Amino acid sequence: GQNIDQPTEMTATEGAIVQINCTYQTSGFNGLFWYQQHAGEAPTFLSYNVLDGLEEKGRFSSFLSRSKGYSYLLLKELQMKDSASYLCAVEDVGNAGNMLTFGGGTRLMVKP
Amino acid sequence: EAEVAQSPRYKITEKSQAVAFWCDPISGHATLYWYRQILGQGPELLVQFQDESVVDDSQLPKDRFSAERLKGVDSTLKIQPAELGDSAMYLCASSPEQQGWEQYFGPGTRLTVT
């Protein structure tokens, strides 16, 4: 089974840096994804980590520690358009193949 | 840019009625997923297809939900009869393969059961 925890809500100021944490427990870890979802819209892919370390992509970076069951998404130079939900999702090797299990999402509000 | 298509975008139905959703994945994507997302929560996998075969449907309420992907391309998710608790966003996603690939999501169908 899967257990994925992330904060429900966070607030940050435009131009600042924010870190969204995700912890997970899984029986067959195969990778971790971060998705962004604006209200009423579909999730869009942000990053994928399968090995330990930091992956940087523009203003967004994602970190993974497999031994700790921990990941974070770092958003720099926050913009108002970054107000959205951020979903942590773990890929698990199950009996029927690889499956993606999503956390509940962290709703980020960026204020001027 | 290729996209996942879903229809309808919005559906209002009365409880005990039947409802169906359609999804057309990105061309060439072998893996197709149906998720249900309740407001304020993350998506929950209902069923996963690899080509025309069901890979996992352990979370699909089989007494009322059914899904098919007969030719391994587009897919239909059906609910019969609909219940009030089925009100949610139904998302379809596709990926080239099962492992290590990002999933591309369609715009979703927002279902309201009255």
Side-chain angles (χ1 to χ4, degrees):
Chain A
Q2 298 266 12
N3 188 23
I4 301 171
D5 289 315
Q6 49 181 132
T8 305
E9 288 188 355
M10 297 183 71
T11 302
T13 305
E14 190 177 16
I17 300 172
V18 70
Q19 177 175 313
I20 302 174
N21 296 323
C22 172
T23 58
Y24 63 89
Q25 292 176 313
T26 180
S27 53
F29 179 83
N30 202 48
L32 187 143
F33 292 81
W34 283 96
Y35 283 82
Q36 180 191 60
Q37 186 176 28
H38 285 98
E41 298 182 11
T44 55
F45 169 79
L46 289 177
S47 68
Y48 173 60
N49 294 71
V50 63
L51 299 176
D52 290 351
L54 187 68
E55 294 280 344
E56 297 186 79
K57 188 186 295 184
R59 294 189 300 115
F60 292 6
S61 303
S62 58
F63 172 84
L64 175 67
S65 169
R66 289 173 296 172
S67 63
K68 296 181 179 179
Y70 168 69
S71 173
Y72 67 73
L73 180 69
L74 193 70
L75 291 75
K76 304 176 185 176
E77 302 170 12
L78 280 173
Q79 302 176 9
M80 297 300 291
K81 67 178 182 180
D82 297 331
S83 292
S85 284
Y86 292 86
L87 301 163
C88 172
V90 174
E91 189 173 55
D92 189 346
V93 179
N95 293 331
N98 290 0
M99 291 176 49
L100 201 61
T101 302
F102 284 84
T106 299
R107 189 170 67 183
L108 174 66
M109 289 174 282
V110 180
K111 296 185 175 181
Chain B
E1 183 175 323
E3 295 180 342
V4 176
Q6 286 188 252
S7 66
R9 292 292 307 277
Y10 304 92
K11 180 70 178 180
I12 300 174
T13 191
E14 294 182 348
K15 62 180 180 181
S16 79
Q17 296 298 304
V19 64
F21 313 131
W22 176 79
C23 172
D24 191 13
I26 293 173
S27 178
H29 281 195
T31 311
L32 184 147
Y33 312 81
W34 283 102
Y35 291 90
R36 175 172 59 188
Q37 186 174 26
I38 295 170
L39 193 63
Q41 299 181 18
E44 173 195 20
L45 180 69
L46 293 175
V47 62
Q48 177 177 340
F49 289 93
Q50 180 69 18
D51 299 310
E52 67 277 6
S53 301
V54 173
V55 174
D56 186 280
D57 62 356
S58 58
Q59 299 303 312
L60 189 71
K62 298 182 186 63
D63 57 334
R64 298 185 300 107
F65 285 64
S66 65
E68 59 183 18
R69 191 183 185 199
L70 293 176
K71 296 182 179 179
V73 181
D74 59 339
S75 175
T76 302
L77 178 69
K78 298 179 181 177
I79 308 174
Q80 183 174 15
E83 296 180 353
L84 295 177
D86 296 332
S87 295
M89 175 77 86
Y90 290 83
L91 293 163
C92 178
S94 71
S95 65
E97 295 292 340
Q98 289 185 58
Q99 177 179 342
W101 287 87
E102 66 178 277
Q103 295 183 18
Y104 296 82
F105 284 83
T109 296
R110 179 161 297 283
L111 173 67
T112 301
V113 182
T114 62

